[in-house]
Structures are given as structure tokens and as C-alpha cells.
Amino acid sequence: MLRTASAVDVVIVGAGPAGLAAARHLTGAGVSVAVLEASPEIGGRSVTDHLDGFRLDHCGRPLAVSAAELRRTPGLGELTPRPFAPGLSVHNGQRVQRISAPRSTRGALSAARALVRADRRTERRTARQAARQTGRLPDRRAEQDADRRTVRRLDRRTGRAAPSYAAPPAAPAPAVDRPIRDALASRPAFPPRAHDAFLRPLLGALLCDPQLRGSSRGAAAALRGYAEGQLWLPAGGAFAVPELLAAALPPGTVRTSVRVTAVSTTGVHTAEHGPVPCRAVLVATGARDAAELLPGLRVPAFHPVAVLHHTAAASGGRGAPSRDTALILPTDGPVAYTYAAGAIDASRTPPGRALLTTVVLGAAAGLPPAVLDRAVRPQLDRIHGPQPRELLTTHHDPYAVPAMPAPHDPERPVRVLAGLYVCGDHRDTGTLQGALNSGRRAARAILQDFGLPALTTEPDTLPAAA
């Protein structure tokens, strides 16, 4: 039996950002925790390889989470962000068009609002069609007048409505969630310049969804996050996030190379150490592994991602690597986005070398590494200028990002039943922020079931996971 975990309150299966965030919340509330990770290293998909002085991320996604959101997770206060240059660069196949920070911010916010409005128009249109079929056309003016009369009857001292025969106003139904590409087709909601110039490639980069088949609500949230924050990379690589979370835990909390084969409300069974008893179990693995431990859990579709890291000499002059630190969004070709990672975060490169990170999405991400490298090189030459580049590594993950098809619930339940919980980006949004949010929600649910003070102001009633 695993001695360090023989008398813990909670066993967390998986040491990615979601599981480690939940562990940090729980230990901060005085709950004893054991985190069991099947791999030799922690981090999940937030892995950074070290190669000849380079730090190469497996997932090359820029982060759009704000510093305030990060501080909601204890242990990440020391994370150092390395920001991209403000604004965006869009490459149309021939030249780079610079999108200023004010313009990109205004365009993202305008598009986010338009997505919500488009969904609401669809909802109202659907309601009117249903009313016509039933022969009951709603009198919208009468309904609005009744609502206004009810509001005027509110007692200012008690906040309660005075007696009335008028029906109380119904709570507004949530807007209809649609595929992003359908919502984008709802003209004239979107300003043509912002829509055509950078909105589609930006959404593809933020969501890793090049076909834009995902949730329009998720797209609106991603655009608001981009507008309210700033794109950045963690200093030292993506592994800095799980590393800081694990370092803030009590010694011995995290155990690697321990494979959990079964879970229940009273403990887990491991291949190496047999049963490990506890009061509650939190499954914080990826969606596919979680479904193996929790039969019946829905497994989403995934967006495949391929990340290529190239290097070149960092000397100046004609043909030298680009020092532009903006995110570059091509409008065609296999490259979804590319950036000078070494110029943004100097700790990722050895002296005298440049590091260029390129991300390919969709079907092209599954090409063999040599074929993919040959496919992206001409496009990189057009974007960054022709120069001799050495391919350091290619990392392909067919299950990199959980898809968010419409309708999508950004806060899927984390409680399977009392004593058994699940978290991860597949229970929230397919981003680092989504993983951290789900870990916090799972920790809150556990504390609630233990009768301990809650972490947040979320509703007290938490539904069961499915």
C-alpha cells in the first residue's frame, strides 16, 4: 500500500493543471490530498522538453487568461508572463498586415457582442415559428407593459413585489448556442473589416478549431478574454504552470509512475501499490482516461494539433530571424499561427539562437513530421523571410484540445456522486483557464460535501456529472 496516501482525505488521479489546482485549493482548506500520476512526470499536456538548451512546448497555444484569473489559483502568483506585442499580424499570403491593439480589441469585443445578438435573434425567430404553428402569437408589447407594471410595484423597503394579478415576468431563456460559422454568417451583425481581416484566423487560433464548428458562446467568451487580457507565454515554458502548482503543495503530495486502475467513493486501486483508501476521489485526467475510470462519462471529439519548433542563427542582417513578437495569423496555407518564441521569451533559447514556433491544426496536423515540415517551410519563408532553418522537433497530439460543439455547457458538472468527482478542460472550456476553473469547481464541490467552507460563490446545488 502507498504509505504516504494511506490516510488521506482525497485522492486525485492525474497531475495536470486541473488536478494540481484542485489539490492546491484543497490543501489550502486543510484537507489532506494525494495526487497520483501514471506518467513519470507531472504536467499532463503542459509539458516542456529540454533539448540542447532549448525549451520546447508540446502545446504551442498562447495564453489569453488575465493575471487576475491566474491569481484565483493559489501558487500561480509567481508565474512570470512573457507578453506578445500588442495587436496582431495577419499574413494574406503576400505580406503582413499589422492590426493595432485598439483595433483588434474593438473588433474582438464587437464580434463577441454580435455573436450573442445573433444567437438571441435565432432564439426569437424560433419562438415565433413555434407560436405560429400553435396559433398563439405572442403580444410582445403587452408582455413588456406587464413587466414594467410589475417592476413599478416593487416595494423599495423590502424588495418584494406588491400583490398583483399580473403574471410575473418569466426569466429570460439563455440564448441559442450555434456553430460559430453559422453565427458569423449572420450579416450585417459583423463589421466587414474586422470580420474579414482577422476574426476568423484569431478564433481558429484561440479555440484550435480551424473549421469554426464549435460553440458560438465559447467563441464569444474567448474573444472577450482576448480583449480584456493580453496574449502571453509562461516564462520558461508551459511546464512552469504545473511546476509552480506542485511546488506549492506539501512534500510528498504528488506521486508519479502510479497508475490507477479503478476508482470508487472510498478509494482507488493502483497497479503498483494495490488499494488506497480515502474519503473522496477526484479524477483529473484527460477525457479519454477519465471515461475508462468512470464508465458512462461522455468523451468529446478533439481538435488535433501539431507543433513545429525551428531554429536559426540569431545574428542580424538580411535573412535573419524575425524579431516581431506579435502573433502572426496566416489567412491560408497549413499554418494556423506562428510566432518568434525565442524573441518573446529569451529563456527558451541558448545564446545566439532563435526559436520559431509554428502550429498546424486540422487534418494537416496528422501528416508525418517530415512531410509536414516540407509543407510549412515555403509558408514560413513568405512570412518570416527566407533563411536556413533547422527543425528541432515536431509534436503531434490528436487529442490536444477537447471540442466544444454547440450547444456547449462551459461549466459541466464535476460531481459524479457524493465522494466521486471529475475535472479537466473537458468539463469546462478547452483551455488552460478552463482546466484551472474546473479544478477549482471540483475542490469546491468536495469541500461542500465535507461540510467545509466553500471556495467561491457558485450555486450551492451542484448537479451530477454525465
Side-chain angles (χ1 to χ4, degrees):
M1 182 178 293
L2 202 62
R3 267 187 256 176
T4 57
S6 60
V8 297
D9 294 317
V10 180
V11 169
I12 298 178
V13 184
L20 293 172
R24 186 63 184 85
H25 285 298
L26 291 171
T27 56
V31 176
S32 60
V33 173
V35 181
L36 307 182
E37 169 59 47
S39 302
E41 301 290 339
I42 66 171
R45 291 190 294 271
S46 297
V47 176
T48 303
D49 291 335
H50 293 254
L51 176 67
D52 298 332
F54 291 94
R55 298 184 180 186
L56 311 174
D57 287 346
H58 282 200
C59 182
R61 298 178 72 182
L63 303 180
V65 57
S66 67
E69 282 294 328
L70 282 180
R71 293 191 186 99
R72 296 180 68 185
T73 302
L76 292 184
E78 297 181 4
L79 186 65
T80 303
R82 300 298 186 199
F84 286 73
L88 299 167
S89 293
V90 178
H91 194 274
N92 62 6
Q94 297 179 347
R95 63 184 181 87
V96 172
Q97 178 186 3
R98 189 76 175 153
I99 308 294
S100 67
R103 181 183 169 192
S104 65
T105 299
R106 287 195 302 267
L109 285 175
S110 174
R113 289 191 292 266
L115 281 169
V116 175
R117 289 197 299 268
D119 290 342
R120 288 174 178 166
R121 284 196 299 272
T122 301
E123 178 193 8
R124 290 194 293 267
R125 189 181 307 116
T126 302
R128 287 196 296 270
Q129 291 173 352
R132 291 191 185 98
Q133 292 175 357
T134 60
R136 298 178 180 178
L137 290 176
D139 188 343
R140 285 178 290 179
R141 179 173 296 178
E143 291 175 355
Q144 293 172 355
D145 291 342
D147 291 350
R148 293 191 187 100
R149 287 194 298 271
T150 302
V151 170
R152 285 196 295 267
R153 292 190 183 100
L154 288 174
D155 190 314
R156 295 180 180 178
R157 294 170 299 173
T158 63
R160 297 179 181 177
S164 172
Y165 293 103
V176 175
D177 195 9
R178 294 190 296 164
I180 303 168
R181 59 183 182 182
D182 292 348
L184 290 178
S186 300
R187 298 290 190 110
F190 297 93
R193 290 185 64 191
H195 175 252
D196 296 333
F198 72 91
L199 180 58
R200 286 180 180 271
L202 176 61
L203 278 172
L206 293 176
L207 303 174
C208 292
D209 181 5
Q211 301 300 321
L212 300 182
R213 296 175 179 173
S215 160
S216 56
R217 291 182 194 168
L223 290 172
R224 284 194 297 269
Y226 165 78
E228 294 169 0
Q230 185 177 15
L231 296 177
W232 55 277
L233 299 174
F239 183 70
V241 174
E243 185 179 35
L244 284 173
L245 290 173
L249 296 173
T253 298
V254 180
R255 297 294 298 268
T256 58
S257 301
V258 179
R259 185 169 62 90
V260 174
T261 58
V263 300
S264 70
T265 58
T266 58
V268 303
H269 193 280
T270 67
E272 296 81 7
H273 305 281
V276 180
C278 59
R279 296 174 58 193
V281 174
L282 171 58
V283 178
T285 64
R288 297 164 67 245
D289 292 334
E292 291 183 4
L293 295 173
L294 301 170
L297 197 72
R298 183 176 68 85
V299 179
F302 295 89
H303 297 304
V305 175
V307 182
L308 299 90
H309 296 286
H310 292 89
T311 185
S315 58
R318 181 175 177 82
S322 171
R323 302 296 297 176
D324 184 6
T325 58
L327 182 69
I328 302 176
L329 302 169
T331 58
D332 59 2
V335 175
Y337 56 93
T338 179
Y339 55 88
I344 296 169
D345 179 13
S347 67
R348 297 177 180 234
T349 62
R353 304 296 296 179
L355 176 61
L356 184 67
T357 297
T358 302
V359 174
V360 177
L361 305 173
L367 294 173
V371 176
L372 185 59
D373 182 39
R374 289 196 298 270
V376 304
R377 280 182 181 270
Q379 192 172 5
L380 294 181
D381 286 342
R382 292 193 297 272
I383 295 173
H384 298 282
Q387 56 184 303
R389 296 187 182 89
E390 174 190 353
L391 178 64
L392 293 171
T393 185
T394 299
H395 182 78
H396 170 243
D397 186 354
Y399 311 107
V401 180
M404 298 187 294
H408 177 73
D409 182 2
E411 291 191 353
R412 296 183 63 194
V414 294
R415 179 191 285 118
V416 180
L417 49 93
L420 192 58
Y421 311 84
V422 59
C423 71
D425 56 3
H426 54 96
R427 311 304 299 177
D428 205 282
T429 59
T431 62
L432 173 64
Q433 183 175 348
L436 298 176
N437 287 344
S438 72
R440 181 171 62 250
R441 291 193 292 117
R444 181 185 183 276
I446 293 172
L447 293 177
Q448 177 179 303
D449 289 347
F450 282 4
L452 297 175
L455 291 171
T456 68
T457 58
E458 295 176 31
D460 291 335
T461 302
L462 297 173

